[in-house]
Amino acid sequence: MNSVGIDISKGRSTVSVMRPFGEVVISPFEVRHTDSELSELAKQLKSLNGETRVVMEATGNYHAPVAKLLHDAGLYVSVVNAKLVHGYGNNDLRRVKTDKKDAVKLANYGLDRWLTLPKYIPEEDTRLLLKSCYRQYRQYSKVQTVLKNNLISLLDTVFPNTNHLFSSPARADGSEKWVDFVAEFWHCEYVCERSERAFVNQYQRWCRKHGYNFSEEKAHTIYAEASGHIGVMPKTETTKLLVGQSVSQLRATSAALAALKQEMQSLASQLPEYPVVMDMFGVGPALGPQLIAEIGDVRRFYSKKALVAYAGIDAPPNDSGDVTGRHKSMSKVGAASLRRTLFLVMTVYLQKLPQDEPVYQFMDRKRAEGKPYRVYMMASANKFLRIYYATVKAYLESLEQV
């Protein structure tokens, strides 16, 4: 039994090889994440006598090249959650923290958990790309929210309430009518300094140019709104520059989000479970690819409970002696992004109120029992996830039998 502990860092790793009873096979040494050095490491590990297993912590993207190369070389690789290793072996009063000590710690952890070490299996290219697209989509969504709030805050000083004048949804390319409007009509004085009829004509030409529906009633409403406000910031070229730059940044981010959303849809449609997931209630063109991206291949989970625990919406027992815990909270030890997506799916259930859907019926019962909002939302997400697991796994297994 050769247990290889690899402490991963950015661009380099520390490797240690241990055998039972504290036998040091290879003292800790450093290896860079280059093809030549990692290939040499794989050759060295494969030359060891006996069975060899490699253990490393999941460290974002840093561990991926090491795990993939060693796996492709035919070695048994296990990538474990850092929380599982964090408290292991910390029974000394004097705690030492170095890369070499961590590599030895991982090697000893591998020896103690030898029979239960999960085997690392690289994700398919399509699933990996889909997950990466979704992670970028999440980041751009946060940036878009910041930029929208920034533009609205700026408009409060030059043309208040402009964003509430239009209710048109965002287009497929990410553009929104109110954003395009303030790019042209960037100050309330810019609207009301001309006659109402002149503005109506200009607004009509603007709608025709950008492909928006024209409403004369809406034009009069905009003119009245502009005339009723006083711009705190003066109508100057500096103000125009500030609004223009804010609009430009928001447009670029919205366009990037639209492109990522389209790419996610394209990637998700290439996966076998796509039609089944899209047929589930509450799942649409946006949430479907998000679910598939976060869950991945559902067959990698050995049970429904494992998937629920992965999402962090399980409620572990809280018993002690003769006392049975009645109030159990979610563990939240899992994929936060998946919990967010599930919450959005449950929001669709609340909006649509599908009386014949089992998830909604369960949600309605919990609400009738007086459960708090977050409790019945996540309890319903738990049930939805179990149905997802059973449905998708059965479908994928049926495809394998064909």
Side-chain angles (χ1 to χ4, degrees):
M1 294 167 58
N2 303 302
S3 181
V4 183
I6 302 183
D7 182 63
I8 304 291
S9 300
K10 183 176 181 179
R12 60 183 179 82
S13 295
T14 304
V15 184
S16 176
V17 184
M18 302 288 292
R19 283 179 181 161
F21 308 108
E23 180 185 350
V24 179
V25 180
I26 301 177
S27 297
F29 67 98
E30 193 173 283
V31 59
R32 292 182 301 167
H33 295 177
T34 62
D35 183 63
S36 58
E37 292 198 19
L38 289 177
S39 297
E40 184 61 32
L41 173 64
K43 188 184 301 182
Q44 183 180 5
L45 297 179
K46 292 183 71 175
S47 66
L48 297 174
N49 294 327
E51 185 180 357
T52 302
R53 293 191 175 185
V54 182
V55 184
M56 64 185 72
E57 292 177 335
T59 54
N61 294 323
Y62 296 154
H63 73 276
V66 183
K68 188 175 187 306
L69 189 144
L70 296 180
H71 174 272
D72 293 345
L75 289 162
Y76 188 104
V77 179
S78 181
V79 179
V80 298
N81 193 312
K83 287 192 174 184
L84 297 175
V85 187
H86 178 72
Y88 174 79
N90 293 338
N91 56 351
D92 294 329
L93 293 176
R94 181 173 177 270
R95 186 183 175 190
V96 180
K97 176 73 172 69
T98 65
D99 291 346
K100 292 182 179 181
K101 289 288 185 181
D102 287 345
V104 173
K105 178 180 177 179
L106 284 164
N108 287 326
Y109 178 88
L111 289 172
D112 285 352
R113 307 291 195 278
W114 186 267
L115 297 177
T116 58
L117 287 175
K119 187 174 183 180
Y120 166 79
I121 300 176
E123 287 187 284
E124 303 169 33
D125 290 344
T126 304
R127 294 188 185 277
L128 180 61
L129 290 171
L130 178 60
K131 179 180 285 189
S132 298
C133 279
Y134 177 50
R135 295 298 165 86
Q136 290 298 305
Y137 182 87
R138 284 288 313 278
Q139 294 298 324
Y140 276 100
S141 294
K142 295 176 184 177
V143 174
Q144 184 191 47
T145 301
V146 171
L147 292 175
K148 275 189 178 182
N149 290 337
N150 175 65
L151 178 57
I152 291 171
S153 177
L154 187 59
L155 290 175
D156 286 341
T157 64
V158 294
F159 198 159
N161 208 37
T162 317
N163 57 307
H164 295 301
L165 291 173
F166 305 95
S167 57
S168 303
R171 289 175 166 178
D173 61 357
S175 60
E176 295 183 75
K177 189 173 183 178
W178 73 272
V179 178
D180 292 340
F181 177 83
V182 297
E184 177 75 19
F185 305 96
W186 50 275
H187 200 285
C188 58
E189 293 181 14
Y190 185 78
V191 173
C192 60
E193 67 183 3
R194 68 203 71 199
S195 68
E196 188 168 359
R197 174 44 54 188
F199 170 72
V200 171
N201 293 335
Q202 185 179 2
Y203 178 71
Q204 184 177 21
R205 291 193 297 272
W206 177 84
C207 287
R208 190 183 303 116
K209 176 182 177 181
H210 292 273
Y212 290 114
N213 293 328
F214 169 73
S215 168
E216 187 169 344
E217 182 182 355
K218 173 64 70 174
H220 290 300
T221 301
I222 295 171
Y223 190 85
E225 189 75 25
S227 302
H229 288 292
I230 300 174
V232 177
M233 293 179 65
K235 179 177 166 288
T236 64
E237 288 300 315
T238 301
T239 303
K240 182 178 181 181
L241 174 67
L242 291 173
V243 175
Q245 287 297 317
S246 184
V247 168
S248 177
Q249 292 177 33
L250 180 55
R251 278 175 167 174
T253 305
S254 298
L257 274 171
L260 285 170
K261 185 176 179 180
Q262 184 177 357
E263 186 63 21
M264 286 166 57
Q265 189 68 236
S266 175
L267 290 169
S269 64
Q270 300 174 29
L271 297 172
E273 67 266 34
Y274 178 77
V276 176
V277 175
M278 296 305 293
D279 281 343
M280 300 180 73
F281 187 88
V283 177
L287 295 179
Q290 292 180 26
L291 273 176
I292 297 173
E294 284 301 316
I295 295 174
D297 191 340
V298 76
R299 291 167 294 186
R300 65 194 179 106
F301 300 99
Y302 63 87
S303 69
K304 301 175 185 178
K305 290 183 178 179
L307 177 55
V308 170
Y310 173 77
I313 56 176
D314 56 323
N318 187 24
D319 304 334
S320 179
D322 296 333
V323 179
T324 301
R326 298 179 60 186
H327 302 287
K328 302 176 182 179
S329 58
M330 291 188 306
S331 67
K332 292 187 179 180
V333 180
S337 297
L338 178 56
R339 287 199 299 275
R340 175 186 176 276
T341 302
L342 290 169
F343 189 87
L344 294 175
V345 174
M346 293 305 102
T347 303
V348 176
Y349 272 87
L350 280 180
Q351 292 171 346
K352 301 296 183 181
L353 307 178
Q355 302 296 326
D356 57 341
E357 282 289 331
V359 174
Y360 178 75
Q361 292 169 358
F362 175 83
M363 181 188 293
D364 209 28
R365 285 200 305 272
K366 292 300 177 183
R367 285 198 297 177
E369 293 171 6
K371 301 294 184 184
Y373 175 74
R374 289 185 178 275
V375 172
Y376 68 71
M377 286 289 277
M378 285 297 99
S380 303
N382 187 318
K383 185 172 182 63
F384 174 86
L385 211 52
R386 291 170 182 267
I387 294 174
Y388 180 100
Y389 177 88
T391 305
V392 175
K393 186 177 181 182
Y395 177 76
L396 293 178
E397 289 177 346
S398 68
L399 291 180
E400 291 176 350
Q401 296 172 3
V402 175

